[in-house]
């Protein structure tokens, strides 16, 4: 209420308007705590959180001492990194293992058949060793040699893995690729601000205002989306647009005679490029494989007769749209090599498009028309 910022040294700064936009930290992977990594392993472990970390990764890939690299995390960042690394060093000199607790890459976000397709493509086209259904429980320094000069060479890092049985994976370099951010709500908690117990973050209204003069933006804000409900988003597109809106509202309410606030109506999107697989994913809304999904795909055709081929477990997926439904309402959309349809996808989420249970496939086929309907096929999962 006093509109005062208290600094660590006890000094105070008063304000008319204040914006909280603290950077968060990568969400810990499984039972791993990034802050508990042994200091002796720091040069072999990369958490991919700062620009310098990617510079370090580039240097490591150019280092002839790195023969085996392990990516931990089956989300978007982990899958992107596994593909990018192999596409970057696809000369057979570096072996890449992709360790995940899920059964396949991106399984939390994509329907099972697409997760299996990506995993198969990563193995066959890029040579990635996918280690699925494994929980990483610890990282330690490899003391196998015990200082003996005649001992066989070993990798410096040991990854403890729990699966059907406890295992150990030796490697030169580890990427801890956490897709999501844990918001830094410390200042909010100490100030008595309301914290969203479900989504995390500081609770704000649609104008990103917490209370009179105090605004919150980016991944720190838990805001109300009129199409989806209360949510917190840790995407770059949201960071840019929420910051712009909050800043505009802060400036406009200072202008004499103008107290009107703008409400956030933008549907933030994300983009994920799987290099080497010729796949670009763009999504908007709630992308969760636990929801009912309907995939509308450009059908595969016979090269000679041009007839539409029936889908098989080894079919290719060139271009399509995956709709995510909750109570027959479209709450999320993933565009698979269909980036040109993002504006239409945003419109559908904002309209809270409802489809009938009886004609769900035919209705979704025509919502965003990729091609004549006879060229399309539909997969429900």
């Amino acid at each position: 209420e006093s509109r005062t910022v208290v600094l660590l040294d006890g000094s105070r700064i008063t304000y008319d308007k204040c914006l909280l936009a603290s950077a968060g930290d990568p969400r810990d992977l499984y039972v791993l705590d990034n802050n508990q990594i042994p200091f002796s392993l720091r040069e072999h472990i990369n958490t991919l959180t700062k620009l310098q970390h990617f510079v370090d990764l580039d240097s490591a890939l150019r280092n002839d001492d790195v023969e085996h690299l392990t990516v931990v995390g089956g989300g978007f960042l982990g899958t992107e990194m596994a593909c990018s690394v192999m596409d970057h060093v696809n000369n057979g000199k570096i072996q890449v293992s992709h360790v995940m607790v899920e059964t396949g890459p991106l399984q939390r976000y994509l329907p099972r058949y697409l997760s299996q397709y990506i995993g198969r493509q990563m193995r066959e086209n890029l040579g990635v060793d996918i280690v699925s259904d494994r929980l990483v429980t610890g990282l330690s320094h490899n003391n196998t040699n015990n200082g003996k000069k005649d001992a066989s060479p070993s990798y410096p890092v040991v990854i403890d893995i729990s699966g059907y049985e406890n295992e150990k994976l030796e490697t030169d370099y580890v990427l801890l690729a956490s897709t999501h951010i844990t918001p830094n709500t410390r200042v909010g908690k100490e100030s008595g601000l309301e914290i969203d117990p479900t989504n995390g973050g500081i609770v704000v209204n649609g104008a990103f205002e917490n209370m009179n003069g105090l605004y919150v933006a980016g991944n720190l804000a838990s805001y109300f989306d009129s199409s989806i409900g209360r949510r917190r988003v840790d995407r770059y597109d949201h960071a840019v647009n929420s910051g712009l809106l909050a800043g505009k509202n802060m400036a406009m309410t200072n202008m004499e005679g103008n107290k009107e606030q703008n409400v956030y109506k933008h549907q933030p999107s994300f983009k994920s490029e799987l290099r080497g697989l010729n796949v670009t994913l763009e999504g908007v809304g709630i992308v969760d494989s636990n929801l009912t999904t309907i995939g509308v795909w450009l059908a595969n055709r016979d090269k000679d007769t041009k007839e539409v081929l029936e889908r098989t477990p080894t079919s290719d997926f060139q271009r399509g749209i995956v709709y995510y439904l909750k109570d027959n309402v479209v709450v999320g959309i993933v565009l698979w090599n269909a980036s040109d349809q993002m504006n239409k996808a945003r419109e559908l989420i904002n309209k809270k498009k409802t489809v009938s249970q009886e004609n769900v496939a035919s209705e979704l086929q025509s919502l965003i028309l990729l091609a004549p309907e006879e060229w399309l096929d539909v997969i429900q999962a």
Side-chain angles (χ1 to χ4, degrees), residues 133-151:
D133 299 307
R134 302 294 196 280
L135 175 67
V136 175
T137 58
L139 302 169
S140 59
H141 199 278
N142 193 351
N143 297 316
T144 303
N145 288 353
N146 294 322
K148 297 179 181 180
K149 294 183 179 179
D150 57 347

Side-chain angles (χ1 to χ4, degrees), residues 107-112 228 285-294 322-333 380-381:
Q107 185 179 311
R108 294 178 187 267
Y109 311 98
L110 300 180
R112 187 177 182 86
I228 294 176
I286 301 175
V287 176
D288 184 346
S289 61
N290 289 318
L291 298 173
T292 298
T293 64
I294 306 292
V322 180
Y323 296 93
Y324 294 76
L325 304 179
K326 185 176 182 180
D327 299 326
N328 291 338
V329 177
V330 178
V331 296
I333 296 175
Q380 181 170 348

Side-chain angles (χ1 to χ4, degrees), residues 125-173:
N125 293 349
L126 298 178
V128 177
D129 177 27
I130 295 180
V131 185
S132 58
D133 299 307
R134 302 294 196 280
L135 175 67
V136 175
T137 58
L139 302 169
S140 59
H141 199 278
N142 193 351
N143 297 316
T144 303
N145 288 353
N146 294 322
K148 297 179 181 180
K149 294 183 179 179
D150 57 347
S152 59
S154 58
Y155 297 114
V157 183
V158 175
I159 304 175
D160 294 318
I161 301 174
S162 177
Y164 300 105
E165 57 186 24
N166 293 333
E167 307 170 46
K168 294 185 182 295
L169 175 65
E170 297 184 3
T171 189
D172 284 309
Y173 200 85

Side-chain angles (χ1 to χ4, degrees), residues 60-345:
L61 293 178
R62 299 175 188 277
N63 189 343
D64 291 338
D65 292 336
V66 177
E67 297 178 357
H68 188 279
L69 181 145
T70 300
V71 180
V72 179
F76 282 105
L77 182 58
T79 305
E80 287 175 10
M81 294 310 301
C83 292
S84 297
V85 168
M86 286 305 294
D87 188 54
H88 182 65
V89 296
N90 204 356
N91 51 18
K93 293 183 179 179
I94 297 181
Q95 181 183 355
V96 173
S97 293
H98 189 191
V99 182
M100 65 198 73
V101 72
E102 301 87 358
T103 303
L106 302 180
Q107 185 179 311
R108 294 178 187 267
Y109 311 98
L110 300 180
R112 187 177 182 86
Y113 66 91
L114 282 182
S115 173
Q116 293 174 338
Y117 172 78
I118 290 174
R120 185 170 68 250
Q121 294 295 307
M122 291 174 68
R123 292 188 186 95
E124 296 176 358
N125 293 349
L126 298 178
V128 177
D129 177 27
I130 295 180
V131 185
S132 58
D133 299 307
R134 302 294 196 280
L135 175 67
V136 175
T137 58
L139 302 169
S140 59
H141 199 278
N142 193 351
N143 297 316
T144 303
N145 288 353
N146 294 322
K148 297 179 181 180
K149 294 183 179 179
D150 57 347
S152 59
S154 58
Y155 297 114
V157 183
V158 175
I159 304 175
D160 294 318
I161 301 174
S162 177
Y164 300 105
E165 57 186 24
N166 293 333
E167 307 170 46
K168 294 185 182 295
L169 175 65
E170 297 184 3
T171 189
D172 284 309
Y173 200 85
V174 179
L175 300 182
L176 297 180
S178 179
T179 296
H180 294 290
I181 296 294
T182 299
N184 182 1
T185 58
R186 181 181 60 82
V187 171
K189 290 178 180 177
E190 292 177 355
S191 304
L193 304 181
E194 182 181 359
I195 308 298
D196 185 338
T198 302
N199 302 301
I202 298 173
V203 175
V204 297
N205 61 20
F208 289 100
E209 187 177 23
N210 175 271
M211 62 175 63
N212 190 24
L214 180 62
Y215 294 77
V216 185
N219 73 76
L220 185 59
S222 165
Y223 70 99
F224 183 75
D225 185 320
S226 59
S227 301
I228 294 176
R230 182 155 294 279
R231 63 192 302 212
R232 186 186 66 82
V233 178
D234 47 12
R235 299 171 183 171
Y236 172 77
D237 179 45
H238 173 67
V240 171
N241 285 281
S242 64
L244 285 171
L245 184 83
K248 186 176 182 179
N249 284 335
M250 293 168 70
M252 289 182 66
T253 52
N254 270 338
M255 297 169 62
E256 186 176 353
N258 190 346
K259 300 292 185 181
E260 183 179 353
Q261 300 235 53
N262 294 294
V263 176
Y264 193 61
K265 297 181 180 179
H266 178 72
Q267 278 296 336
S269 64
F270 69 87
K271 182 176 182 179
S272 180
E273 184 176 352
L274 305 183
R275 295 185 59 181
L277 302 186
N278 297 319
V279 173
T280 298
L281 302 173
E282 292 196 55
V284 64
I286 301 175
V287 176
D288 184 346
S289 61
N290 289 318
L291 298 173
T292 298
T293 64
I294 306 292
V296 179
W297 298 96
L298 197 62
N300 293 323
R301 315 185 101 191
D302 187 275
K303 293 181 180 179
D304 298 323
T305 65
K306 304 302 180 184
E307 293 183 358
V308 173
L309 300 176
E310 185 178 350
R311 288 284 175 183
T312 68
T314 59
S315 291
D316 196 14
F317 292 91
Q318 294 293 335
R319 177 175 162 87
I321 301 173
V322 180
Y323 296 93
Y324 294 76
L325 304 179
K326 185 176 182 180
D327 299 326
N328 291 338
V329 177
V330 178
V331 296
I333 296 175
V334 164
L335 304 174
W336 180 286
N337 291 335
S339 302
D340 53 308
Q341 304 296 333
M342 177 52 73
N343 288 338
K344 292 182 180 179

